[in-house]
Amino acid sequence: MKQGLSLRVSQHLALTPQLQQSIRLLQLSTLEMAQEVEQMLDENPFLERSDDTAEREAFGIEQTDAPVSAGEQIADTLLAPGADRLPDTAGPGTDAGTESSEVDLEARLDGATPVEESWEGDGTVDIVADDSEWGGDAPARQRNDGDDDTASAADLASIPVTLQAFLHDQARCLRISEEDLRALVYLIESLNDDGYLDEDLPSLALGLMHLEGTDTAVNADAALALQEATTQRLAIALQWLQHMEPTGVGARNLAECLRLQILEQRNTPVARAALAIVGHPLELMAKRDIKRLCALTGADDDTVRGALALISRLEPKPGRRFVDVERNVVVPDVIVERAGRGFKVSLNPEVMPRLRVHDVYAGALRQNRGGGDAGHAGMQQRLQEARWFIKNIQQRFDTILRVSSAIVERQRNFFMHGELAMRPLVLREIADELGLHESTISRVTTAKYMATPFGTYELKYFFGSSLGTETGGNASSTAVRALLKQFIASEEPGKPLSDNQLSDLLREQGIECARRTVAKYREALRIAPANLRKSL
């Protein structure tokens, strides 16, 4: 084998820990960001939360009435007097996911020098519209600055009551034996969130026997007899349960739940027909096969239609209103408001963490610069981490503001006329305009929300594919879905529009949309097909 020397040029991208943290913070949601800040505050002693409203010590967005241009940065990291600070060398168009950012970040990390100047600015961008019409005013936002420890009457009244607690209150008012009461309580605790019994009575009887400590291993015949007796006791308790409120609780299936609610209605021909309908397979009711239902129940056409209308008003899940549904409150990252003839895009100050480097610890570390032990080097590293964490947070909100401003500029018609005026938009357009990578735009628009006069939307909502038109232009898929909702909302209840008819209506509007595409959009909007939308 002959040995030799060769020269080869190659290029690769290495992500530093600081750059990795910047990318990771960029894709976090507001809630995840708050959790990350709390974790960093617990781990890093040089990082602290700033409660002072002094401009030099606060990090965040101080809203002002004077808008700034889209190219300006938001408020920089403002440190306490005497604290170290990194100089800013990154331009507004630098992408957190490019190689130039890595060089910038390395240079800023290696060349960090303590300075005392601050970078002032607000978090607003003004977008001027060319149309004076406006679809509505933004809702007023009020902040409650009262004592958080004081619970209001509305808060106390909103404390949820579980289905089991509601039924236990009724059970205590019954005059039954202790044995029957135990069986009734056991059935109540066996209900699921919808108010149904998932298990049959023999299986529940075995569970009750085990709970009461009954020994079933001595005699099989005696155990079987005891199980039958327990099953009968549960059957009696089930009758008590099914007579409680809400009506339909304790049912084993949907048909029994509907039957219990129909029995509470007045004894009319319509109620009797409804009772007969739920006694047959529910598929016939779902398909609304009027002719077959008339033949099975012996009722006329009008009575069956009235019975179906009665059944449609019943509650299929009696325990629904007792379920403590976890409501995910969406906190917008960006707020768009009317400002003269245009729109003002600003960051939500409520989601901006106010952080600073602990001036006492940083000052003590600067005075001990001569220390060369491992402990001093470790503290210097923790201080550097605190400064970079604050800087990465500032860069995150700066990118969000720039992307949101570009979206508002591109979707100006939406903010004036609603979703029907939405135009097609892809990530590449915003990336090219801001000089960022498409993956960076994807991270920014994921789990970030914008409060508009029409509601709060995720930033990805403003991006949509395009459909061709007869004039050679493009129509946004979001606008097409809004148009479909309008068509379906204005259709005749007795003659709902099929997917083919909806496709023809879109074609009349100059939008080329196939029937399969209409069906896909309709399912995405959670709209039933024409045969199930037909009104009785």
Side-chain angles (χ1 to χ4, degrees):
M1 178 181 295
K2 185 179 179 180
Q3 297 181 353
L5 297 176
S6 63
L7 182 63
R8 184 176 61 183
V9 178
S10 63
Q11 185 179 14
H12 68 280
L13 176 63
L15 296 180
T16 63
Q18 291 79 18
L19 183 57
Q20 293 178 14
Q21 184 187 64
S22 177
I23 296 175
R24 186 170 58 86
L25 292 178
L26 189 62
Q27 63 188 5
L28 294 180
S29 64
T30 301
L31 179 60
E32 294 170 341
M33 181 67 194
Q35 295 174 350
E36 185 75 15
V37 170
E38 292 297 332
Q39 181 179 355
M40 187 61 68
L41 286 171
D42 293 338
E43 294 177 355
N44 198 318
F46 289 95
L47 196 64
E48 67 173 349
R49 194 182 301 276
S50 175
D51 296 328
D52 193 355
T53 58
E55 190 175 359
R56 286 191 56 84
E57 298 182 359
F59 168 63
I61 300 301
E62 300 294 337
Q63 299 291 352
T64 62
D65 295 333
V68 299
S69 63
E72 292 187 52
Q73 300 280 353
I74 62 170
D76 187 19
T77 308
L78 302 178
L79 305 179
D84 289 340
R85 182 178 182 273
L86 291 176
D88 180 41
T89 58
T94 303
D95 185 5
T98 60
E99 187 175 1
S100 60
S101 296
E102 178 203 346
V103 178
D104 244 345
L105 291 171
E106 291 287 355
R108 292 162 67 184
L109 180 61
D110 296 336
T113 56
V115 296
E116 298 296 334
E117 61 184 10
S118 64
W119 180 16
E120 300 180 3
D122 64 4
T124 62
V125 173
D126 186 57
I127 305 297
V128 179
D130 56 359
D131 195 333
S132 59
E133 297 181 2
W134 181 248
D137 296 330
R141 294 175 176 85
Q142 298 180 355
R143 181 179 177 183
N144 185 12
D145 294 331
D147 190 2
D148 294 338
D149 297 333
T150 304
S152 63
D155 295 334
L156 296 176
S158 63
I159 298 177
V161 178
T162 63
L163 175 63
Q164 281 73 16
F166 184 69
L167 294 173
H168 284 320
D169 291 339
Q170 300 178 60
R172 282 191 289 267
C173 300
L174 299 177
R175 292 187 176 183
I176 56 179
S177 63
E178 290 293 332
E179 190 178 38
D180 291 338
L181 182 60
R182 286 197 302 269
L184 178 58
V185 169
Y186 182 74
L187 287 180
I188 293 175
E189 294 298 328
S190 301
L191 296 173
N192 60 17
D193 292 338
D194 296 331
Y196 285 83
L197 282 174
D198 295 329
E199 301 183 59
D200 55 6
L201 292 183
S203 300
L204 292 173
L206 289 176
L208 181 58
M209 292 167 57
H210 177 73
L211 186 63
E212 293 179 344
T214 304
D215 188 6
T216 59
V218 179
N219 191 331
D221 294 336
L224 182 59
L226 182 58
Q227 181 183 0
E228 292 178 355
T230 307
T231 303
Q232 292 295 329
R233 184 154 56 99
L234 288 176
I236 297 174
L238 181 60
Q239 295 181 8
W240 287 102
L241 177 60
Q242 292 182 350
H243 282 83
M244 292 182 178
E245 294 290 337
T247 307
V249 69
R252 273 72 61 87
N253 49 59
L254 178 58
E256 186 178 11
C257 178
L258 297 176
R259 183 180 63 83
L260 292 173
Q261 297 180 61
I262 295 172
L263 290 175
E264 294 293 326
Q265 306 289 330
R266 295 179 57 185
N267 188 12
T268 61
V270 173
R272 290 193 294 269
L275 196 61
I277 289 175
V278 297
H280 293 88
L282 297 183
E283 289 78 6
L284 299 176
M285 181 182 63
K287 295 179 180 179
R288 298 182 179 181
D289 193 343
I290 304 296
K291 293 183 179 180
R292 191 171 180 184
L293 289 175
C294 290
L296 292 175
T297 60
D300 57 10
D301 187 273
D302 294 337
T303 304
V304 171
R305 292 179 182 274
L308 291 177
L310 172 62
I311 295 174
S312 65
R313 295 192 297 268
L314 301 179
E315 174 57 70
K317 298 179 180 181
R320 190 204 308 263
R321 62 187 177 97
F322 295 94
V323 178
D324 184 18
V325 180
E326 182 181 357
R327 295 174 175 84
N328 297 322
V329 179
V330 176
V331 179
D333 300 87
V334 182
I335 300 175
V336 179
E337 297 175 311
R338 179 70 173 177
R341 295 184 57 195
F343 312 101
K344 184 174 73 171
V345 184
S346 60
L347 291 170
N348 185 4
E350 299 296 331
V351 302
M352 293 289 294
R354 294 182 176 273
L355 302 176
R356 67 177 181 181
V357 174
H358 202 294
D359 54 347
V360 177
Y361 294 163
L365 193 61
R366 284 198 307 272
Q367 293 176 4
N368 191 23
R369 290 183 182 273
D373 56 348
H376 184 272
M379 297 302 289
Q380 284 282 6
Q381 182 179 1
R382 301 297 285 179
L383 175 60
Q384 202 75 287
E385 290 176 358
R387 294 203 303 254
W388 273 110
F389 182 74
I390 297 176
K391 204 67 179 177
N392 287 333
I393 291 180
Q394 176 257 322
Q395 185 179 9
R396 173 186 185 269
F397 285 101
D398 179 26
T399 308
I400 292 176
L401 179 63
R402 295 175 59 220
V403 171
S404 301
S405 303
I407 291 175
V408 173
E409 178 67 27
R410 292 296 185 100
Q411 299 291 2
R412 186 186 311 160
N413 292 332
F414 167 81
F415 295 96
M416 291 187 294
H417 307 295
E419 57 185 355
L420 284 175
M422 186 81 76
R423 54 158 292 184
L425 183 64
V426 294
L427 299 177
R428 172 60 62 184
E429 296 183 41
I430 302 297
D432 293 342
E433 178 181 344
L434 300 180
L436 302 176
H437 195 270
E438 191 173 348
S439 62
T440 303
I441 305 300
S442 177
R443 294 187 184 99
V444 171
T445 55
T446 301
K448 314 298 188 303
Y449 295 89
M450 177 186 293
T452 71
F454 297 99
T456 301
Y457 302 94
E458 188 179 10
L459 294 184
K460 278 193 178 298
Y461 171 79
F462 299 96
F463 296 87
S465 57
S466 61
L467 298 174
T469 61
E470 292 180 352
T471 58
N474 294 320
S476 171
S477 58
T478 305
V480 173
R481 284 194 290 265
L483 198 56
L484 287 177
K485 286 194 295 186
Q486 282 195 1
F487 288 155
I488 294 176
S490 60
E491 67 185 3
E492 295 183 13
K495 295 181 180 180
L497 298 172
S498 63
D499 294 340
N500 280 326
Q501 292 173 325
L502 292 173
S503 178
D504 295 338
L505 290 176
L506 290 176
R507 192 172 295 108
E508 293 176 1
Q509 299 292 327
I511 301 174
E512 296 294 335
C513 189
R515 182 196 61 82
R516 294 187 299 272
T517 307
V518 171
K520 181 182 70 174
Y521 289 165
R522 177 181 51 75
E523 292 174 359
L525 294 172
R526 298 180 180 272
I527 298 177
N531 62 327
L532 297 182
R533 296 201 310 270
K534 187 174 182 180
S535 175
L536 297 177

